[in-house]
Amino acid sequence: MRNGAILAVVAGISLVNGLYLDHIPTWRQLLFAVIAVVAYLHGRHLPVRRDWLVLGAVAIPGVVELGVSLWDGVGALMAMALFAVLPWLAGRFRRQQAELVEAGRQRVGQLEREQQYTAERVKLHERARIAADMHDSLGHELALIALRAGALELAADMNETNREAAAQLRASAVTATDRLRRTIGVLRDSGGAPTDPPDESIETLVERAGRAGMAVTLSRDESSAVLPPLLDRAAHRVTQESLTNAARYAPGAEVRVTIERRADMVAVTVTNAPSLTKAQSTGGGGTGLASLRERVRLLGGTLEARRTSEGGFTVTARLPWPKDTGESG
């Protein structure tokens, strides 16, 4: 509102100063120069809403003057146009040009920030992938080392010194696993569970755990012998994490892995008996099971982890069978 009033005053002075141009004193000539400079600066720095309505309202007295004195009215309107309107338009053009340049700079800055954000997201996802690889490989291997040490600790032909060494080895493996899990917690992104395919089948995984000293058995029905790739990866991941927890928290205990097809879903159940040593803990409830729940949730399934009535621990994942495989339950 104030900017419009200033524009109206400048244009009005130019209109009045354009009357009676037959004899123009020096001060009026200088006034035209001052008006042109002020009009330019106004257009350059002071935006006006409905600017043409303001200029049109100021020009009305000049139009009326045309009916009284044609040449005086023409002179007044020409003076307003030359010394007020044109400089003001030039200033407004420069202001709009500067605004476009600034908007372009802001857009470039926004694109650069978006690019940096995208690069940061890629780095975070890569960190999550590395964390998943560490958890799936190193975590499982450390658990098997602890299992082997636990088996040595329970061996009948071990003397007390070797038994103590085996116990220290098992404790060191458990400590290393805990530190690995904390490191994974720092590296892992909150974007969800990894979905990289495993390097081995579930049968190979169970056989390898058995060779490490775990008393583990696998039972699966014929309908679940061949699973869709995504479902097979998830079942492998559930089995691997459950075996890792069993080796860590219940060394020496029997473990039973069951995979069966139920109607339009696949159930993966891993149950371990109570621990044979004092290493029994609360049953895995760290980042591994949290990652499993996220993976199973993304597939539309559910995961349940609980202690059994006998004192053991069981993990059950129910995974829906994909509808686009052309099979039905």
Side-chain angles (χ1 to χ4, degrees):
M1 191 68 170
R2 181 182 62 182
N3 295 346
I6 296 174
L7 178 61
V9 170
V10 173
I13 294 175
S14 177
L15 181 71
V16 173
N17 200 46
L19 293 172
Y20 312 115
L21 296 177
D22 296 337
H23 177 70
I24 305 178
T26 303
W27 67 270
R28 289 182 61 185
Q29 297 177 20
L30 294 176
L31 184 59
F32 277 130
V34 172
I35 291 173
V37 172
V38 173
Y40 174 83
L41 294 176
H42 185 283
R44 180 67 178 83
H45 299 288
L46 302 177
V48 179
R49 296 181 59 185
R50 300 184 179 87
D51 41 22
W52 288 109
L53 291 179
V54 174
L55 294 175
V58 175
I60 291 177
V63 176
V64 174
E65 183 65 24
L66 290 175
V68 179
S69 175
L70 178 63
W71 294 110
D72 287 341
V74 171
L77 294 175
M78 288 182 60
M80 176 180 167
L82 292 175
F83 297 105
V85 177
L86 287 181
W88 175 79
L89 287 175
R92 189 179 71 164
F93 173 77
R94 289 291 300 141
R95 173 171 53 82
Q96 293 175 344
Q97 189 179 46
E99 290 175 350
L100 288 176
V101 172
E102 181 62 24
R105 291 176 180 174
Q106 293 179 359
R107 179 58 178 167
V108 170
Q110 181 182 359
L111 291 176
E112 290 177 350
R113 289 191 296 271
E114 291 177 353
Q115 187 176 11
Q116 293 175 356
Y117 175 77
T118 301
E120 185 65 22
R121 292 297 302 171
V122 171
K123 290 170 60 179
L124 290 176
H125 283 298
E126 181 64 16
R127 288 174 59 181
R129 187 191 65 80
I130 294 173
D133 290 343
M134 291 174 61
H135 183 277
D136 292 347
S137 57
L138 294 180
H140 189 67
E141 296 300 329
L142 285 172
L144 294 182
I145 292 174
L147 179 64
R148 290 178 184 269
L152 289 174
E153 186 180 358
L154 295 175
D157 57 348
M158 292 284 286
N159 57 43
E160 190 62 29
T161 301
N162 292 337
R163 198 183 307 278
E164 180 65 24
Q168 292 178 0
L169 176 61
R170 179 173 55 80
S172 297
V174 172
T175 301
T177 304
D178 289 335
R179 291 178 179 175
L180 176 64
R181 289 177 182 271
R182 287 195 293 269
T183 302
I184 290 172
V186 175
L187 289 176
R188 190 183 295 278
D189 182 32
S190 60
T195 56
D196 293 338
D199 297 328
E200 60 186 356
S201 65
I202 298 177
E203 287 78 6
T204 303
L205 174 66
V206 172
E207 290 176 2
R208 189 158 60 89
R211 289 195 301 268
M214 177 179 287
V216 56
T217 59
L218 172 64
S219 173
R220 63 188 309 175
D221 53 16
E222 294 183 359
S223 59
S224 67
V226 179
L227 300 177
L230 190 61
L231 206 60
D232 185 68
R233 291 197 293 268
H236 180 281
R237 182 69 180 84
V238 170
T239 305
Q240 183 183 53
E241 177 62 22
S242 300
L243 292 180
T244 300
N245 285 338
R248 181 187 181 197
Y249 296 108
E254 295 183 357
V255 182
R256 184 175 66 258
V257 181
T258 304
I259 304 175
E260 56 183 344
R261 177 85 177 269
R262 300 176 183 173
D264 58 349
M265 57 169 282
V266 173
V268 181
T269 304
V270 181
T271 304
N272 63 266
S275 174
L276 300 180
T277 70
K278 58 183 179 181
Q280 178 73 17
S281 182
T282 57
T287 60
L289 284 181
S291 175
L292 281 183
R293 285 193 176 91
E294 177 66 10
R295 177 184 287 248
V296 172
R297 184 189 65 82
L298 290 176
L299 291 175
T302 61
L303 185 135
E304 179 184 6
R306 60 180 176 83
R307 187 171 299 280
T308 64
S309 58
E310 295 81 8
F313 200 79
T314 182
V315 176
T316 303
R318 297 176 177 86
L319 306 167
W321 191 275
K323 296 182 180 180
D324 56 354
T325 59
E327 299 182 31
S328 60

